[in-house]
Amino acid sequence: MDSCIFCKIVNGEIPSKKIYENDYVYSLLDISPQSKGHVLVIPKKHSRDIYEIDDDILCEVMKAVKKLSVNIKEKLNPEGLNIVQNSGEIAGQSVFHFHIHIIPRYKREQEYDIDEVAEELRIKEL
Ligand code: AMP
Ligand code: ZN
């Protein structure tokens, strides 16, 4: 979709702090993180929300959410994490390209450097 910011990120037209990519999914650090290691997982194929996304693509997204959650746990050791999906403006959706937030939760919030977090979390494979 031409006007979609996440489609532009997937296509490399807008820079992002990429963490992981495969044939179906792209994952990046959120630009306004709620905590250290706040990651977004997005399907490469545009769909607006939970109602529009294909089941097969959703399964691929969720497999990546699991993989990235394990990766965050191993590398950043949060005490917990939230997995959040907003569908619809009233639910807080601001980017209308389906995505899932992984938000690590810590007993104590720490200072961090966003580039170091990106480097630490990056999964290099394709
Ligand atoms: P939502 O409110 O669920 O639609 O979440 C959209 C998320 O996308 C917000 O947490 C934003 O901070 C994040 N976001 C918006 N633009 C960018 C961008 N260019 N790169 C990374 N994250 C972004
Ligand atoms: Zn899009």
Side-chain angles (χ1 to χ4, degrees):
M1 209 206 215
D2 284 355
S3 60
C4 172
I5 188 166
F6 283 178
C7 282
K8 286 183 178 160
I9 287 174
V10 167
N11 294 331
E13 294 162 37
I14 294 180
S16 71
K17 300 204 185 297
K18 182 169 91 175
I19 300 302
Y20 175 67
E21 178 178 12
N22 66 25
D23 287 347
Y24 307 100
V25 171
Y26 190 100
S27 177
L28 66 155
L29 286 186
D30 195 292
I31 205 166
S32 317
Q34 292 182 36
S35 67
K36 179 184 181 185
H38 179 171
V39 159
L40 301 175
V41 186
I42 67 183
K44 288 187 169 176
K45 185 178 166 209
H46 182 94
S47 55
R48 180 183 169 88
D49 54 25
I50 191 67
Y51 306 109
E52 240 185 62
I53 190 167
D54 293 343
D55 288 2
D56 290 351
I57 302 287
L58 180 60
C59 288
E60 294 297 335
V61 171
M62 290 313 295
K63 281 196 278 181
V65 166
K66 171 85 185 274
K67 183 184 183 80
L68 287 152
S69 296
V70 171
N71 181 54
I72 289 168
K73 173 88 181 140
E74 286 174 357
K75 299 199 175 142
L76 303 180
N77 200 28
E79 277 82 23
L81 51 83
N82 295 114
I83 294 170
V84 176
Q85 201 286 312
N86 299 327
S87 277
E89 201 169 350
I90 196 161
Q93 186 173 12
S94 60
V95 176
F96 293 89
H97 177 132
F98 182 92
H99 54 279
I100 290 184
H101 298 256
I102 306 175
I103 310 168
R105 297 298 185 188
Y106 307 90
K107 284 187 189 153
R108 286 200 194 94
E109 275 295 337
Q110 315 144 27
E111 295 287 314
Y112 59 89
D113 177 293
I114 198 97
D115 288 313
E116 284 177 14
V117 174
E119 186 56 38
E120 202 172 356
L121 290 184
R122 194 160 292 130
I123 300 174
K124 298 177 187 85
E125 61 177 62
L126 195 59

